Each structure stands twice: as C-alpha cells, then as structure tokens.
Amino acid sequence: SVGQTTMNVKARKELMVRLEAPSFFVETDKQRIAALVTNDSGRDADVNIELSATMLKVSGELKQKQRITAGATATFEWESEAATSGEAIITAKAWIDSKINDGVELRVPIQTHGRLYSESTAGTIGRESRLKIVVRDNADQNSGRLKLTLTPSLAGNLVSSLDELIDYPYGCV
C-alpha cells in the first residue's frame, strides 16, 4: 500500500510587523527605516506602531497610527542618522487596541567612518625593553583595539600566518 499527499500550511499572526533597514550603517549615514505592518485580523483596524532605536538619531513621529484594511499591508517610514560606531538596536511594536499585537527587534552594526589603520614593528627586545604605543587623537574609541604579539623568532609569526592563508576565501592560495 503506497500513497502521496501534499498539504499547504500558512503560519501567520493576525497582525505582523517587519522591519526594513540597511544591513549595516557607517557613521554619519542617513538612511530610511521602514516598518511594514500587515493586518490579517479579518477586519479593518486602526493600527498603532512605535519605533525605538539606540545609537541612531531618528526623525519624525516615533509613534504613529493608521487605518489598515483587512488583508492589506501599510508602510511606515522614518529617517535615521548613525551618530557613532557600535551596534544599533531598532525595535518596532505594532498593536490594535483590541490587544492584537506584534513586535520585532533588529540589530545593525554601525561601522567607523574612516579606514583601518594598523602598525607593525620588529626588533630585538632585551631584558628591560620598552615599547611606546601612540594612540592617534582621531582614533575611534568605540571600535579601536590593540593586539600585541610577541614571538621569539620570525618563524613564530610565519606559522600563525598560515592559518589566515588557509582561511582565505575563493581557494586561490
């Protein structure tokens, strides 16, 4: 005895909110953030939406209300500016006064506006050696880092570089 069947299942909420934002920001970027709200409650409704964001300056009304017909999707938009590097957390909450609600949170990295600067030195270190590390005045305090590697010989650095060569993309090494 054999058989086959096909079933289609649609999983949905009565009210759904989705955030549309860039995959990353760069400091001082001005971008539009959009929230798409779908009303699948089966009736026309006045939908409230509220946006909150950390690490971003958002302009416009953070809390809005709009009538959305049954089965339709409405778009809400805000202008935003990335103030400083780090990670932005964008949250959108939508609700209908009859307690139907949904919410979504999106984490978006904010990259430093500038270029990566690195410096390497080599030399012989005695028993009491000093190394002067100068941090530039315009260095980004949110994304800067210091990596200090000491090896007894040049071969030590060579061996650690091999891992980076193996992981290099595209298989061209």
Side-chain angles (χ1 to χ4, degrees):
S1 182
V2 297
Q4 179 179 339
T5 186
T6 302
M7 294 179 69
N8 293 322
V9 177
K10 183 177 181 181
R12 63 177 177 86
K13 291 182 72 173
E14 292 182 71
L15 185 68
M16 293 181 288
V17 60
R18 297 182 313 269
L19 272 174
E20 298 289 329
S23 56
F24 67 92
F25 287 94
V26 176
E27 273 181 320
T28 71
D29 267 0
K30 292 182 180 178
Q31 295 283 338
R32 182 170 293 151
I33 299 171
L36 288 85
V37 179
T38 304
N39 176 11
D40 277 336
S41 65
R43 58 184 169 78
D44 297 356
D46 291 324
V47 177
N48 300 288
I49 186 159
E50 185 173 14
L51 184 86
S52 63
T54 62
M55 305 290 286
L56 295 175
K57 294 177 188 173
V58 180
S59 60
E61 291 293 322
L62 295 179
K63 190 174 180 181
Q64 300 178 27
K65 189 173 194 174
Q66 184 176 332
R67 184 116 180 126
I68 303 176
T69 58
T73 300
T75 303
F76 298 84
E77 295 182 340
W78 297 268
E79 293 293 328
S80 67
E81 182 178 351
T84 183
S85 62
E87 182 180 59
I89 302 172
I90 307 165
T91 307
K93 298 175 186 175
W95 68 95
I96 299 173
D97 290 335
S98 64
K99 307 284 190 239
I100 299 171
N101 61 56
D102 192 25
V104 64
E105 179 181 281
L106 188 62
R107 294 175 178 266
V108 182
I110 304 172
Q111 298 174 356
T112 304
H113 185 261
R115 65 177 178 86
L116 178 64
Y117 173 79
S118 64
E119 184 176 332
S120 300
T121 61
T124 305
I125 298 177
R127 244 179 220 268
E128 290 187 26
S129 296
R130 294 177 189 254
L131 174 65
K132 184 177 179 181
I133 299 172
V134 178
V135 178
R136 293 176 166 212
D137 291 337
N138 61 350
D140 182 16
Q141 297 178 7
N142 294 325
S143 64
R145 65 181 180 274
L146 172 67
K147 181 180 178 182
L148 181 63
T149 306
L150 301 174
T151 57
S153 71
L154 213 51
N157 265 349
L158 181 62
V159 171
S160 67
S161 300
L162 293 176
D163 290 334
E164 291 184 31
L165 285 174
I166 290 169
D167 292 336
Y168 193 79
Y170 317 118
C172 61
V173 176

